[in-house]
Amino acid sequence: DAKTTQPPSMDCAEGRAANLPCNHSTISGNEYVYWYRQIHSQGPQYIIHGLKNNETNEMASLIITEDRKSSTLILPHATLRDTAVYYCIVRVLMDSSYKLIFGSGTRLLVRP
Amino acid sequence: DSGVTQTPKHLITATGQRVTLRCSPRSGDLSVYWYQQSLDQGLQFLIQYYNGEERAKGNILERFSAQQFPDLHSELNLSSLELGDSALYFCASSISIGGTNEQFFGPGTRLTVL
């Protein structure tokens, strides 16, 4: 089962920041948080990941709370092409290998 | 373009039949993962291979099997197909099985069972 909880849908205006929340209250100390997105029925696309520090790359920023029980993905200037389902995932260790267990995600609609 | 290729893009077949889906990982990636995405189940992890060996199983049915070949491409075999097997099947690859290596997903194969 997924270890994350996300709102089923959100929307934001084009050009504004999109802030997508995620709860992962049962996360263990060495488990990473990953974010992927899926546009229409394309293959999921990696966005960013983090352990405890905030992270930023060319696509987004990831803010993880100090207790690591929640995080927020920030798309600083959302465009129409950012309309997608965003998955927050806690990577778990199973059978000596790391797994991504996808939940239901947040469907983000960017409005013109 | 993630660098992961999957063939065919679409597959239409009948119940009871058997099909093979193919995946070529990104150059240099040793690990291959298979996922199934149906409307009511979301993205489900099926199975993982690393350098030719099975490493982990998820929610994979006994009618399904997979393998990874010496050239690192992988095939997912689905047999005795049922209507409920209609779904998108994604392959992903990563450099290894540990560390923080992200998985890169292919474009998927859409399977329709009639």
Side-chain angles (χ1 to χ4, degrees), chain A residues 22-33 50-53 63-71 90:
Chain A
C22 179
N23 286 322
H24 31 79
S25 57
T26 61
I27 194 169
S28 300
N30 59 353
E31 290 178 331
Y32 280 76
V33 178
L51 182 62
K52 36 179 119 170
N53 298 322
I63 309 296
I64 302 175
T65 58
E66 196 166 337
D67 63 8
R68 303 215 320 124
K69 292 185 176 182
S70 65
S71 60
V90 171

Side-chain angles (χ1 to χ4, degrees), chain A residues 32 34 36 38 40-46 49 87 91 94-103, chain B residues 33 35 37 43 45 48 55-57 88 90 97-108 110:
Chain A
Y32 280 76
Y34 280 69
Y36 280 74
Q38 188 174 24
H40 296 298
S41 296
Q42 298 176 22
Q45 178 189 22
Y46 165 80
H49 72 272
Y87 297 97
R91 191 188 67 164
M94 283 169 47
D95 302 322
S96 303
S97 185
Y98 290 103
K99 301 292 169 293
L100 300 178
I101 309 298
F102 286 78
Chain B
Y33 309 76
Y35 293 83
Q37 186 173 35
L43 261 160
F45 166 70
Q48 179 202 3
R55 287 307 303 253
K57 274 187 173 182
L88 271 167
F90 291 106
I97 56 174
T100 59
N101 296 307
E102 61 264 32
Q103 294 180 23
F104 293 87
F105 283 76
R110 182 176 293 279

Side-chain angles (χ1 to χ4, degrees), chain A residues 76-89:
Chain A
H77 306 285
T79 71
L80 299 180
R81 287 183 297 180
D82 291 323
T83 291
V85 177
Y86 287 77
Y87 297 97
C88 169
I89 302 159

